[in-house]
Structure formats: structure tokens, C-alpha cells
Amino acid sequence: MRISVIGCGYLGAVHAASMAKLGHEVVALDVDPDKIGRLAAGDAPFFEPGLPETLAEALASGRIEFTTDPSRVAGARVHFLAVGTPQGPSGAADLTYVDAAVTGLLPHLAPGDLVVGKSTVPVGTAARLAERVRAVQPEATLVWNPEFLREGFAVQDTITPDRFVYGVPAGEAGQRAVAVLDEVYARALAAGIPRLVVDLPTSELVKISANAFLATKISFINAMAEIAEVAGADVTALADAIGHDDRIGRKFLNAGLGFGGGCLPKDIRAFQARADELGVGQSLAFLGEVDAINLRRRAHVVTLAEELLGGSVAGRRIAVLGLAFKPNSDDVRDSPALDIAARLVELGATVAAHDPAAIGTARRLRPELEYADRAEDALAGADAVLVLTEWAAYRSLDPQAVAGLAAGRIVLDGRNCLDRDAWTAAGFTYRGMGR
Ligand code: UDX
């Protein structure tokens, strides 16, 4: 099928390459010529395992074209909207890019075309955009098909997601849209991946409520970490024990620095802002608490570092291992790790930071930090070691070897990912989160 993908950021670039891999003819459009140039040359503009290979395969097949020319989308039967919805100044989602994508698409829509929204939008947006489409091309249909991809697993989550959700209008147009989307995703559907057909507002809410739930789960366990710390309990053991109840489940119960990234923080704020607009702000008031618990984690790590270093970090040398908001990513958007590193510098510490993938992205945002290309260089002479992103390379660090490099014997495990006994045996004062 001939498909267009509008927006080549995280979501769009992965979606476009994955659709070509599935055998579709793809035109991928973005306003940024640099991004398009890199993608056309097979150079993934961000770190994402599996994307370089998928992109290379798509380009070699001749089934993908990257362009900045909006008219190239004409002739595609399905147009995916995959632009960003960043946080606006009030906390609400900024829909500028979504509206601009639709404005650019409208002149090229033909009867029978399907416009498929994938971006995370405030509930009600799809109905409004459907109206805009109908006004210009009454025989085209707009549907919503939210994306649930996780960074680090984006290709896999696009090709074989947990589920497909189609938000479609009632009646014949909706049924036709379901048939077309079934054709797009035929291979995954044949493999038995569930597909749910719902109305437009439900599809918008599915996405944002899934992220709100995940954020709530993380803040729940971080609240338990706060209690465990003063009660002398261990939140990791607690999570293991409650996680055995399969109504609760162990996943997303890792206490630590809390959540960051390009989705969860902005999505809970946008959801609250939308609920306020709809006059049901009270229903999501708890998300304000989820946000507050999450942000407290960062301040707490800084306080712990001060305590461990005898009351102040000023003039001390601190090795920060991990800058990305999670492992297997170079993304530092709203990253707790980068935030903490910057706060320590503000308090007068010398921070030597390392990350296996995110030094480049971190340097752009925080040029004031000292970056080390090798973990060993960050560790050399450090008074304290802070592990802030749970990369496999840090989990498997040999504490004896670290002891040979660092000046001090203090380790702060911000993600509860180290072997406490091994570090203690190597002479370190170990502090975890909520243990
Ligand atoms: C998230 C959702 O998981 C995904 O479904 C949605 O489509 C986009 O947003 P992503 O932002 O890639 O995906 O990251 P995710 O794996 O959800 O992690 C988010 C943050 O939560 C990270 O900072 C991570 O370190 C943190 N986290 C996760 C915890 O602190 N504890 C946990 O137990 C799990």
C-alpha cells in the first residue's frame, strides 16, 4: 500500500521505516531538511536499537522516500500524522505541529484517503481535525491509531505492538477505515496481536490514560521508597513481594530517580490541563501528586549526596554514571539524571559525567558539565560515585576496580541496580533508594 508518514521524529522515523519493512511504499515527510537528509542517507538521527538496520533495509528495498516536499504525499492512500505534541507553557499540549501537519496535507487529499493520527493528543482533538478534513475533502476519513512505543524498543513495538487501537467514526466510513488499517497491519494481525476498535475520544484517552497509569505506578513505588527509608524497610523487597500478586504485577515498580523522557512527564501535565478544560479537573488532581512525588526524587538524591559527603558537595569531585532518562537511549529530555548532575554543579561540585550514548545530547543542553568518554575517566579521583541510569555496563561494574580508581568509597545507587553486598564488601558506603 502507498503510505505517507508526516513527521520524522522518534515516532515518525521509526514508523516510516517499519512500514517499508512490512512491504508498503512509504513517503516520509518532515519540515527539517537536515533530518530528512540524514534519514535519506541511512543515518538514524537518534540512538534507537534496530533502527539503523530497519532504515538500511527500507532504503535498500527502494520502498521509502524521505522528502520535505508536502506535495509528494499525494497519491498515498493512508496518511499517518506522527508529529510531536510538546508541553506548552501552561502545561497543556501544544498542538501547533499537529495542526500544521493537517494544513499541509489538506490540499493533497483525494476521495477515499485515510488520515491516521498517531500522536498523543488531548481528547477531542481528533473530532476537531476530522471536521477540518471533512470540510475540504468530504470523502476522506480521519481516524486515530495511537502509538504505544517505548524508546529502546521502538521498532519492535511498532511492528509487533501489544495491541492495536483504532479510533474510528461510526458507520460505513468507520468500517472502511478498519478494513484499510487491517490491511496496513495485516502481518501483525495474522500473528494474533489483539486489535480494539473504539470511537475517536476513547482512542485518544487510551493512550494518555495508559501513560498516566504507568506514571502513577512509578510514583506509587517511589512514595513507598520515601516511607521505607524512614521506617528502615527495603522498597525493593517490598516491590518483589507485592509484585507477586498478578493484579499488581512487578513491572514498573522500580523505585529510583523517577520517570523522565519525552512522554510520561508531559503527558500527565497535558492530561490534567485537558481535564481542567473539560471541568473535571478534580478527577485527575492525583496526577499533580504523582508529578510532585516524581520531582521530589531528584531533590532527594542531591540531599543524599550532600549527606554522604559530610554536609556539602561544594568543591568535591562526583562521578555521575548515566545521563539518559533510561538505558538504551540517548534521550535526555526531562532526564532525572541530567537534572541531578546539573544541580550538583550549581551547588559547587565538580561533576564528571559519563553515559554510553547520551553525552552528545546532554552536552547540547548542559555544556557546563564535564564529560568523560570512558567511565574510568569519570571515576578517576571521584569522592563519590552516583549511578543515575541503569545501563548494563554500570550494573556489571566491578566495585574492586572502581575502588582502585575513585578517591572516595561512596556509592549512591539512584536506580537500585547495583549489587549492594559486592559494593559493601569492596569497602564502599552504599546508599540505594528506599532501602
Ligand atoms: C513511555 C511508555 O512506556 C510508552 O508506552 C509510551 O508510548 C511512551 O512513554 P518511554 O518514555 O520510552 O515510554 O519510557 P518508559 O520505558 O516508559 O520509562 C519512562 C521512565 O520511567 C524512565 O525514566 C524510566 O527510568 C522510569 N521508570 C520506569 C522507573 O523509574 N521505574 C520503573 O519501574 C519503570
Side-chain angles (χ1 to χ4, degrees):
M1 194 184 296
R2 194 165 168 82
I3 282 173
S4 83
V5 177
I6 302 170
C8 287
Y10 223 102
L11 171 59
V14 173
H15 193 70
S18 302
M19 290 301 107
K21 185 184 170 85
L22 291 178
H24 301 302
E25 295 281 332
V26 180
V27 177
L29 175 72
D30 200 283
V31 292
D32 179 349
D34 283 347
K35 200 181 280 175
I36 287 299
R38 286 184 66 176
L39 285 163
D43 175 16
F46 42 82
F47 178 92
E48 179 61 39
L51 179 59
E53 295 80 0
T54 311
L55 190 58
E57 199 183 317
L59 288 164
S61 73
R63 285 194 300 267
I64 196 161
E65 174 193 340
F66 289 99
T67 181
T68 54
D69 174 2
S71 71
R72 296 292 303 150
V73 306
R77 201 168 145 207
V78 175
H79 307 275
F80 285 103
L81 304 175
V83 292
T85 51
Q87 184 177 318
S90 68
D94 175 355
L95 296 176
T96 312
Y97 304 111
V98 173
D99 274 299
V102 172
T103 304
L105 172 63
L106 287 176
H108 309 293
L109 278 181
D113 279 8
L114 194 60
V115 182
V116 185
K118 292 207 78 71
S119 314
T120 304
V121 290
V123 60
T125 306
R128 179 173 68 76
L129 297 176
E131 221 21 80
R132 291 190 62 197
V133 166
R134 210 175 1 252
V136 173
Q137 181 46 266
E139 288 173 62
T141 305
L142 180 134
V143 300
W144 220 259
N145 168 221
E147 188 67 68
F148 301 98
L149 64 81
R150 296 161 298 166
E151 293 187 20
F153 301 92
V155 176
Q156 175 192 325
D157 284 353
T158 301
I159 292 178
T160 49
D162 293 339
R163 75 295 206 190
F164 291 102
V165 175
Y166 303 170
V168 303
E172 218 181 291
Q175 282 167 15
R176 269 200 313 271
V178 170
V180 174
L181 283 177
D182 280 354
E183 208 180 317
V184 172
Y185 299 127
R187 207 189 289 181
L189 292 171
I193 290 175
R195 167 269 249 171
L196 292 95
V197 179
V198 297
D199 52 36
L200 287 176
T202 304
S203 67
E204 293 166 305
L205 282 175
V206 167
K207 170 66 203 237
I208 197 102
S209 61
N211 278 354
F213 188 85
L214 293 172
T216 303
K217 210 171 171 190
I218 298 168
S219 278
F220 174 84
I221 202 66
N222 280 326
M224 295 309 109
E226 292 181 347
I227 313 268
E229 215 154 280
V230 293
D234 183 338
V235 76
T236 306
L238 180 142
D240 290 343
I242 64 173
H244 276 293
D245 181 336
D246 62 13
R247 293 169 305 174
I248 296 173
R250 181 63 180 82
K251 290 180 183 163
F252 267 64
L253 281 186
N254 292 324
L257 307 185
F259 56 82
C263 291
L264 299 190
K266 80 159 171 74
D267 284 355
I268 59 170
R269 294 169 197 150
F271 200 11
Q272 275 177 283
R274 185 62 182 142
D276 281 340
E277 283 168 13
L278 294 171
V280 285
Q282 215 179 1
S283 306
L284 295 184
F286 73 95
L287 288 180
E289 210 45 55
V290 166
D291 203 1
I293 293 167
N294 193 52
L295 294 176
R296 273 208 299 274
R297 302 309 289 162
R298 305 174 184 193
H300 183 55
V301 170
V302 173
T303 307
L304 276 181
E306 288 178 319
E307 269 174 38
L308 287 164
L309 285 165
S312 166
V313 296
R316 308 303 291 275
R317 188 171 175 84
I318 298 178
V320 163
L321 300 185
L323 295 163
F325 84 108
K326 68 173 190 181
N328 303 314
S329 170
D330 67 355
D331 198 344
V332 294
R333 284 176 294 171
D334 211 342
S335 167
L338 185 58
D339 191 9
I340 289 165
R343 288 185 200 203
L344 292 169
V345 171
E346 271 166 34
L347 292 171
T350 302
V351 168
H354 175 264
D355 189 284
I359 290 180
T361 47
R363 203 193 298 269
R364 258 172 264 144
L365 279 187
R366 296 283 187 185
E368 72 272 25
L369 300 186
E370 185 186 310
Y371 294 98
D373 288 331
R374 300 178 328 139
E376 291 77 9
D377 298 333
L379 291 165
D383 296 312
V385 178
L386 271 54
V387 177
L388 302 184
T389 311
E390 69 277 33
W391 285 92
Y394 302 150
R395 286 176 184 274
S396 61
L397 274 175
D398 172 6
Q400 299 285 358
V402 175
L405 292 165
R409 295 285 174 277
I410 293 167
V411 63
L412 204 169
D413 182 2
R415 293 288 183 182
N416 289 344
C417 63
L418 303 177
D419 179 342
R420 177 169 48 182
D421 295 341
W423 283 80
T424 310
F428 280 86
T429 300
Y430 170 97
R431 280 301 294 268
M433 303 297 286
R435 338 171 58 184

mmCIF file of all heavy atoms in Angstrom, residues 336-368:
data_model
loop_
_atom_site.group_PDB
_atom_site.id
_atom_site.type_symbol
_atom_site.label_atom_id
_atom_site.label_comp_id
_atom_site.label_asym_id
_atom_site.label_seq_id
_atom_site.Cartn_x
_atom_site.Cartn_y
_atom_site.Cartn_z
ATOM 1 N N PRO A 336 15.922 12.756 34.732
ATOM 2 C CA PRO A 336 16.266 12.988 36.134
ATOM 3 C C PRO A 336 17.782 12.997 36.337
ATOM 4 O O PRO A 336 18.302 13.792 37.126
ATOM 5 C CB PRO A 336 15.626 11.799 36.867
ATOM 6 C CG PRO A 336 14.605 11.238 35.939
ATOM 7 C CD PRO A 336 15.053 11.581 34.545
ATOM 8 N N ALA A 337 18.484 12.124 35.624
ATOM 9 C CA ALA A 337 19.941 12.010 35.814
ATOM 10 C C ALA A 337 20.639 13.315 35.445
ATOM 11 O O ALA A 337 21.459 13.840 36.213
ATOM 12 C CB ALA A 337 20.491 10.858 34.958
ATOM 13 N N LEU A 338 20.297 13.868 34.297
ATOM 14 C CA LEU A 338 20.951 15.104 33.846
ATOM 15 C C LEU A 338 20.592 16.269 34.773
ATOM 16 O O LEU A 338 21.437 17.107 35.104
ATOM 17 C CB LEU A 338 20.539 15.411 32.400
ATOM 18 C CG LEU A 338 21.231 16.612 31.756
ATOM 19 C CD1 LEU A 338 22.746 16.443 31.747
ATOM 20 C CD2 LEU A 338 20.729 16.824 30.330
ATOM 21 N N ASP A 339 19.349 16.278 35.218
ATOM 22 C CA ASP A 339 18.886 17.316 36.136
ATOM 23 C C ASP A 339 19.712 17.286 37.428
ATOM 24 O O ASP A 339 20.188 18.328 37.914
ATOM 25 C CB ASP A 339 17.391 17.044 36.415
ATOM 26 C CG ASP A 339 16.720 18.184 37.145
ATOM 27 O OD1 ASP A 339 17.351 19.239 37.287
ATOM 28 O OD2 ASP A 339 15.562 18.012 37.578
ATOM 29 N N ILE A 340 19.906 16.087 37.960
ATOM 30 C CA ILE A 340 20.668 15.946 39.211
ATOM 31 C C ILE A 340 22.119 16.378 39.003
ATOM 32 O O ILE A 340 22.688 17.112 39.828
ATOM 33 C CB ILE A 340 20.568 14.493 39.731
ATOM 34 C CG1 ILE A 340 19.154 14.246 40.256
ATOM 35 C CG2 ILE A 340 21.623 14.204 40.795
ATOM 36 C CD1 ILE A 340 18.810 12.791 40.449
ATOM 37 N N ALA A 341 22.708 15.964 37.883
ATOM 38 C CA ALA A 341 24.100 16.339 37.605
ATOM 39 C C ALA A 341 24.225 17.869 37.587
ATOM 40 O O ALA A 341 25.151 18.439 38.170
ATOM 41 C CB ALA A 341 24.547 15.747 36.267
ATOM 42 N N ALA A 342 23.262 18.534 36.946
ATOM 43 C CA ALA A 342 23.317 19.998 36.845
ATOM 44 C C ALA A 342 23.133 20.653 38.220
ATOM 45 O O ALA A 342 23.791 21.645 38.545
ATOM 46 C CB ALA A 342 22.253 20.483 35.874
ATOM 47 N N ARG A 343 22.240 20.086 39.042
ATOM 48 C CA ARG A 343 22.033 20.662 40.382
ATOM 49 C C ARG A 343 23.298 20.557 41.225
ATOM 50 O O ARG A 343 23.611 21.449 42.013
ATOM 51 C CB ARG A 343 20.906 19.923 41.110
ATOM 52 C CG ARG A 343 19.543 20.235 40.531
ATOM 53 C CD ARG A 343 18.496 19.558 41.374
ATOM 54 N NE ARG A 343 17.252 19.430 40.637
ATOM 55 C CZ ARG A 343 16.070 19.299 41.217
ATOM 56 N NH1 ARG A 343 15.973 19.273 42.533
ATOM 57 N NH2 ARG A 343 14.986 19.172 40.495
ATOM 58 N N LEU A 344 24.013 19.432 41.081
ATOM 59 C CA LEU A 344 25.247 19.262 41.860
ATOM 60 C C LEU A 344 26.279 20.310 41.463
ATOM 61 O O LEU A 344 26.983 20.857 42.314
ATOM 62 C CB LEU A 344 25.800 17.840 41.648
ATOM 63 C CG LEU A 344 24.929 16.722 42.243
ATOM 64 C CD1 LEU A 344 25.410 15.356 41.762
ATOM 65 C CD2 LEU A 344 24.940 16.774 43.773
ATOM 66 N N VAL A 345 26.339 20.598 40.161
ATOM 67 C CA VAL A 345 27.274 21.633 39.689
ATOM 68 C C VAL A 345 26.884 22.985 40.282
ATOM 69 O O VAL A 345 27.734 23.741 40.755
ATOM 70 C CB VAL A 345 27.299 21.686 38.143
ATOM 71 C CG1 VAL A 345 28.081 22.896 37.657
ATOM 72 C CG2 VAL A 345 27.907 20.409 37.583
ATOM 73 N N GLU A 346 25.566 23.264 40.292
ATOM 74 C CA GLU A 346 25.102 24.536 40.885
ATOM 75 C C GLU A 346 25.514 24.652 42.346
ATOM 76 O O GLU A 346 25.745 25.742 42.853
ATOM 77 C CB GLU A 346 23.572 24.632 40.808
ATOM 78 C CG GLU A 346 23.076 25.261 39.523
ATOM 79 C CD GLU A 346 21.590 25.039 39.331
ATOM 80 O OE1 GLU A 346 20.852 25.017 40.336
ATOM 81 O OE2 GLU A 346 21.184 24.858 38.161
ATOM 82 N N LEU A 347 25.590 23.502 43.030
ATOM 83 C CA LEU A 347 25.965 23.511 44.455
ATOM 84 C C LEU A 347 27.473 23.511 44.650
ATOM 85 O O LEU A 347 27.964 23.339 45.764
ATOM 86 C CB LEU A 347 25.333 22.313 45.163
ATOM 87 C CG LEU A 347 23.807 22.372 45.289
ATOM 88 C CD1 LEU A 347 23.239 21.048 45.792
ATOM 89 C CD2 LEU A 347 23.387 23.511 46.228
ATOM 90 N N GLY A 348 28.217 23.624 43.560
ATOM 91 C CA GLY A 348 29.664 23.785 43.689
ATOM 92 C C GLY A 348 30.479 22.518 43.492
ATOM 93 O O GLY A 348 31.700 22.531 43.665
ATOM 94 N N ALA A 349 29.814 21.401 43.143
ATOM 95 C CA ALA A 349 30.567 20.161 42.922
ATOM 96 C C ALA A 349 31.216 20.190 41.536
ATOM 97 O O ALA A 349 30.745 20.884 40.638
ATOM 98 C CB ALA A 349 29.633 18.963 43.024
ATOM 99 N N THR A 350 32.293 19.424 41.372
ATOM 100 C CA THR A 350 32.836 19.175 40.044
ATOM 101 C C THR A 350 32.277 17.826 39.619
ATOM 102 O O THR A 350 32.521 16.818 40.279
ATOM 103 C CB THR A 350 34.380 19.102 40.085
ATOM 104 O OG1 THR A 350 34.841 20.334 40.607
ATOM 105 C CG2 THR A 350 34.951 18.863 38.700
ATOM 106 N N VAL A 351 31.481 17.847 38.569
ATOM 107 C CA VAL A 351 30.843 16.606 38.132
ATOM 108 C C VAL A 351 31.539 16.103 36.878
ATOM 109 O O VAL A 351 31.700 16.848 35.910
ATOM 110 C CB VAL A 351 29.336 16.857 37.849
ATOM 111 C CG1 VAL A 351 28.726 15.677 37.115
ATOM 112 C CG2 VAL A 351 28.598 17.107 39.150
ATOM 113 N N ALA A 352 31.969 14.854 36.903
ATOM 114 C CA ALA A 352 32.491 14.210 35.699
ATOM 115 C C ALA A 352 31.449 13.183 35.291
ATOM 116 O O ALA A 352 31.185 12.232 36.029
ATOM 117 C CB ALA A 352 33.822 13.545 35.985
ATOM 118 N N ALA A 353 30.817 13.411 34.148
ATOM 119 C CA ALA A 353 29.672 12.573 33.771
ATOM 120 C C ALA A 353 29.998 11.667 32.604
ATOM 121 O O ALA A 353 30.710 12.056 31.673
ATOM 122 C CB ALA A 353 28.492 13.476 33.410
ATOM 123 N N HIS A 354 29.460 10.472 32.667
ATOM 124 C CA HIS A 354 29.622 9.513 31.573
ATOM 125 C C HIS A 354 28.275 8.912 31.225
ATOM 126 O O HIS A 354 27.397 8.762 32.091
ATOM 127 C CB HIS A 354 30.588 8.392 31.984
ATOM 128 C CG HIS A 354 30.704 7.319 30.938
ATOM 129 N ND1 HIS A 354 29.968 6.152 30.985
ATOM 130 C CD2 HIS A 354 31.421 7.275 29.787
ATOM 131 C CE1 HIS A 354 30.249 5.427 29.908
ATOM 132 N NE2 HIS A 354 31.124 6.079 29.176
ATOM 133 N N ASP A 355 28.087 8.605 29.973
ATOM 134 C CA ASP A 355 26.913 7.841 29.536
ATOM 135 C C ASP A 355 27.323 7.124 28.259
ATOM 136 O O ASP A 355 28.009 7.705 27.420
ATOM 137 C CB ASP A 355 25.723 8.778 29.255
ATOM 138 C CG ASP A 355 24.435 8.006 29.011
ATOM 139 O OD1 ASP A 355 24.279 7.444 27.895
ATOM 140 O OD2 ASP A 355 23.603 7.914 29.926
ATOM 141 N N PRO A 356 26.894 5.864 28.093
ATOM 142 C CA PRO A 356 27.312 5.145 26.887
ATOM 143 C C PRO A 356 26.759 5.753 25.592
ATOM 144 O O PRO A 356 27.322 5.537 24.525
ATOM 145 C CB PRO A 356 26.742 3.731 27.103
ATOM 146 C CG PRO A 356 26.547 3.608 28.579
ATOM 147 C CD PRO A 356 26.201 4.994 29.055
ATOM 148 N N ALA A 357 25.656 6.508 25.655
ATOM 149 C CA ALA A 357 25.068 7.024 24.408
ATOM 150 C C ALA A 357 24.681 8.492 24.453
ATOM 151 O O ALA A 357 24.528 9.106 23.403
ATOM 152 C CB ALA A 357 23.825 6.192 24.050
ATOM 153 N N ALA A 358 24.510 9.052 25.646
ATOM 154 C CA ALA A 358 23.833 10.358 25.730
ATOM 155 C C ALA A 358 24.751 11.556 25.964
ATOM 156 O O ALA A 358 24.268 12.652 26.246
ATOM 157 C CB ALA A 358 22.769 10.306 26.834
ATOM 158 N N ILE A 359 26.065 11.385 25.816
ATOM 159 C CA ILE A 359 26.949 12.534 26.080
ATOM 160 C C ILE A 359 26.669 13.664 25.079
ATOM 161 O O ILE A 359 26.573 14.836 25.458
ATOM 162 C CB ILE A 359 28.433 12.104 26.062
ATOM 163 C CG1 ILE A 359 28.718 11.240 27.287
ATOM 164 C CG2 ILE A 359 29.356 13.333 26.052
ATOM 165 C CD1 ILE A 359 30.134 10.744 27.410
ATOM 166 N N GLY A 360 26.499 13.303 23.818
ATOM 167 C CA GLY A 360 26.261 14.328 22.786
ATOM 168 C C GLY A 360 25.000 15.124 23.059
ATOM 169 O O GLY A 360 25.016 16.361 23.031
ATOM 170 N N THR A 361 23.911 14.426 23.354
ATOM 171 C CA THR A 361 22.640 15.120 23.590
ATOM 172 C C THR A 361 22.706 15.912 24.895
ATOM 173 O O THR A 361 22.166 17.010 24.992
ATOM 174 C CB THR A 361 21.463 14.120 23.661
ATOM 175 O OG1 THR A 361 21.840 13.041 24.507
ATOM 176 C CG2 THR A 361 21.082 13.592 22.299
ATOM 177 N N ALA A 362 23.400 15.375 25.905
ATOM 178 C CA ALA A 362 23.500 16.060 27.191
ATOM 179 C C ALA A 362 24.343 17.328 27.055
ATOM 180 O O ALA A 362 23.998 18.377 27.601
ATOM 181 C CB ALA A 362 24.109 15.130 28.237
ATOM 182 N N ARG A 363 25.435 17.237 26.297
ATOM 183 C CA ARG A 363 26.345 18.377 26.154
ATOM 184 C C ARG A 363 25.609 19.584 25.549
ATOM 185 O O ARG A 363 25.842 20.722 25.931
ATOM 186 C CB ARG A 363 27.531 17.988 25.278
ATOM 187 C CG ARG A 363 28.762 18.857 25.519
ATOM 188 C CD ARG A 363 29.803 18.667 24.445
ATOM 189 N NE ARG A 363 30.337 17.320 24.362
ATOM 190 C CZ ARG A 363 31.418 16.891 25.025
ATOM 191 N NH1 ARG A 363 32.053 17.694 25.828
ATOM 192 N NH2 ARG A 363 31.852 15.649 24.874
ATOM 193 N N ARG A 364 24.700 19.305 24.605
ATOM 194 C CA ARG A 364 23.964 20.403 23.982
ATOM 195 C C ARG A 364 23.110 21.155 25.012
ATOM 196 O O ARG A 364 22.997 22.361 24.984
ATOM 197 C CB ARG A 364 23.064 19.849 22.862
ATOM 198 C CG ARG A 364 23.658 20.099 21.482
ATOM 199 C CD ARG A 364 22.867 19.392 20.408
ATOM 200 N NE ARG A 364 23.475 18.117 20.080
ATOM 201 C CZ ARG A 364 22.821 17.012 19.761
ATOM 202 N NH1 ARG A 364 21.516 17.003 19.732
ATOM 203 N NH2 ARG A 364 23.466 15.900 19.462
ATOM 204 N N LEU A 365 22.509 20.407 25.947
ATOM 205 C CA LEU A 365 21.641 21.033 26.947
ATOM 206 C C LEU A 365 22.412 21.606 28.123
ATOM 207 O O LEU A 365 22.033 22.612 28.707
ATOM 208 C CB LEU A 365 20.645 20.003 27.498
ATOM 209 C CG LEU A 365 19.397 19.675 26.703
ATOM 210 C CD1 LEU A 365 18.505 18.763 27.529
ATOM 211 C CD2 LEU A 365 18.644 20.946 26.364
ATOM 212 N N ARG A 366 23.486 20.911 28.501
ATOM 213 C CA ARG A 366 24.220 21.277 29.713
ATOM 214 C C ARG A 366 25.718 21.354 29.434
ATOM 215 O O ARG A 366 26.486 20.486 29.875
ATOM 216 C CB ARG A 366 23.976 20.221 30.809
ATOM 217 C CG ARG A 366 22.538 20.121 31.265
ATOM 218 C CD ARG A 366 22.210 21.270 32.174
ATOM 219 N NE ARG A 366 20.882 21.128 32.756
ATOM 220 C CZ ARG A 366 20.330 22.071 33.516
ATOM 221 N NH1 ARG A 366 20.975 23.177 33.777
ATOM 222 N NH2 ARG A 366 19.116 21.899 34.007
ATOM 223 N N PRO A 367 26.130 22.386 28.722
ATOM 224 C CA PRO A 367 27.555 22.468 28.375
ATOM 225 C C PRO A 367 28.451 22.648 29.603
ATOM 226 O O PRO A 367 29.656 22.424 29.518
ATOM 227 C CB PRO A 367 27.633 23.697 27.451
ATOM 228 C CG PRO A 367 26.351 24.428 27.610
ATOM 229 C CD PRO A 367 25.335 23.489 28.166
ATOM 230 N N GLU A 368 27.855 23.038 30.747
ATOM 231 C CA GLU A 368 28.679 23.331 31.927
ATOM 232 C C GLU A 368 29.226 22.073 32.610
ATOM 233 O O GLU A 368 30.126 22.162 33.440
ATOM 234 C CB GLU A 368 27.888 24.174 32.941
ATOM 235 C CG GLU A 368 26.770 23.454 33.693
ATOM 236 C CD GLU A 368 25.416 23.479 32.973
ATOM 237 O OE1 GLU A 368 25.402 23.607 31.732
ATOM 238 O OE2 GLU A 368 24.378 23.337 33.655
#
